[in-house]
Amino acid sequence: MVRMGGRSRGASNPVFHKAIPTHYANLMMQYMVATRLKSLVGDLELSNFDMPYWNIAHPPIKPRASQAVCMIGEEHHVDLARIAYLARHGIFDRFEWHGYGQRLEYFPEVEETRTLFSRPDITAPVFDGDAVVCPIRGGEILDARHPGYTVVPVDFYADVIEEMGWRPIFMGQTDDNAYMRALKHRFPHAQIMQHQGTLEDFQIIRSATNVILSISTFAWLAAWLSHASTIVLPVYGIFNPALFSLHDLLPLGDDRYRFYQLPPQPAVPLHELLDVHAAMKGQWHHVGLQDLRRR
């Protein structure tokens, strides 16, 4: 934390302001962190957490000249107890948060979080029984702009789907590219769904009985909020805390999850992707709680 100014006098309720632009899953996770903080500081006002698609409205609150401001700059670690102490005692009355907080220990319990993000009016196909929903993350990550945002190998899907006896539905960012052509070639009879809309795609994942996650906070959050029977989580990319220790999105105490360890391969551009995946073939395995909690 970086502190600015001294204690303000005659201040109103403390303010927790999201200072960086985000949207959808990242914003939802930030709001989950802010909600957890508000449970510790009852009169805390949230600022810049507007999500009209979830009927959540916390517009930006402008700073006042008299406020004592605390800058919170760490990307994913948030000392909630410390912030709560500073707010309750009036040491600072505005907190400018420049992070994401993508760690399970900062989130409310899943049952509480489900009530935060509720839109029963949104209709989307429901896939149950032996169907498995496989959200595809494509778009901008295909240029390897972040080493931890990468694409799940086609052979990984094939091995898990064969092992579990599932019928795959691939959905999300399924626009034509070399990866999608390889996926369609491997699964010629699979259902491929185009993008249905942001909330509709979220609801498809959230209502599924079985899910194989892509390396995506969007898919991760939709599955976590679901009542799925089985969620396959590749310990890969940002989901591997041994490589990306600032994140922690492995719900180790949740028996819906099956974890598979993949090689520590960083993202590569699309034109290299299939060759890299071919070299990784077969180098993944199911891992249990004992293996993962040692990290």
Side-chain angles (χ1 to χ4, degrees):
M1 295 181 186
V2 178
R3 305 175 182 183
M4 300 177 59
R7 178 175 178 172
S8 60
R9 300 184 180 277
S12 57
N13 294 343
V15 171
F16 188 71
H17 175 77
K18 180 181 70 72
I20 57 176
T22 49
H23 62 282
Y24 293 109
N26 290 340
L27 174 54
M28 291 165 70
M29 289 183 179
Q30 289 171 312
Y31 183 64
M32 288 153 60
V33 176
T35 300
R36 182 77 177 273
L37 179 61
K38 186 169 173 57
S39 73
L40 302 176
V41 185
D43 61 351
L44 186 70
E45 294 188 49
L46 303 183
S47 170
N48 200 26
F49 292 91
D50 260 357
M51 286 172 278
Y53 40 90
W54 292 117
N55 299 314
I56 293 170
H58 296 284
I61 299 171
K62 292 183 178 181
R64 301 189 312 273
S66 62
Q67 282 183 313
V69 179
C70 181
M71 296 290 185
I72 304 165
E74 290 192 69
E75 187 175 8
H76 290 289
H77 287 277
V78 190
D79 192 339
L80 297 179
R82 179 65 176 165
I83 296 169
Y85 168 81
L86 295 172
R88 286 197 302 263
H89 290 274
I91 300 168
F92 292 94
D93 44 25
R94 185 178 177 92
F95 299 86
E96 298 267 354
W97 185 30
H98 294 258
Y100 294 88
Q102 292 178 4
R103 300 183 62 84
L104 278 156
E105 67 261 34
Y106 304 141
F107 298 167
E109 295 297 323
V110 65
E111 288 293 346
E112 178 185 347
T113 310
R114 285 172 179 144
T115 66
L116 293 178
F117 306 116
S118 178
R119 281 287 304 274
D121 58 305
I122 297 173
T123 59
V126 175
F127 296 100
D128 52 15
D130 66 347
V132 59
V133 168
C134 305
I136 299 299
R137 181 72 168 93
E140 75 283 356
I141 75 163
L142 294 176
D143 64 8
R145 64 183 59 186
H146 185 296
Y149 279 97
T150 187
V151 181
V152 176
V154 171
D155 285 319
F156 175 77
Y157 286 117
D159 287 353
V160 173
I161 288 167
E162 181 180 3
E163 175 189 358
M164 302 299 291
W166 282 333
R167 174 173 53 88
I169 291 90
F170 297 100
M171 48 78 62
Q173 295 176 311
T174 57
D175 293 339
D176 181 62
N177 56 56
Y179 176 77
M180 280 305 305
R181 289 192 290 274
L183 197 64
K184 290 176 181 179
H185 179 75
R186 187 62 182 268
F187 296 96
H189 304 296
Q191 183 173 348
I192 310 288
M193 297 183 65
Q194 296 296 318
H195 174 60
Q196 303 292 298
T198 302
L199 291 187
E200 288 78 8
D201 282 359
F202 194 86
Q203 186 63 20
I204 289 170
I205 303 166
R206 188 172 180 175
S207 61
T209 296
N210 305 297
V211 181
I212 300 177
L213 288 177
S214 54
I215 311 306
S216 157
T217 55
F218 182 90
W220 185 96
L221 186 53
W224 186 69
L225 292 174
S226 77
H227 293 278
S229 297
T230 306
I231 303 169
V232 170
L233 192 157
V235 183
Y236 186 46
I238 64 164
F239 295 157
N240 186 345
L243 299 176
F244 295 91
S245 60
L246 297 181
H247 299 261
D248 182 6
L249 295 174
L250 298 184
L252 299 183
D254 190 328
D255 61 10
R256 297 176 297 167
Y257 284 81
R258 286 177 61 86
F259 301 98
Y260 288 79
Q261 181 70 62
L262 274 71
Q265 172 63 52
V268 296
L270 180 60
H271 68 274
E272 300 176 22
L273 191 64
L274 297 182
D275 288 339
V276 167
H277 284 181
M280 292 170 58
K281 184 175 180 178
Q283 297 184 54
W284 38 75
H285 58 278
H286 179 256
V287 287
L289 177 61
Q290 285 191 337
D291 299 305
L292 293 169
R293 69 185 176 191
R294 294 193 189 107
R295 300 180 176 221

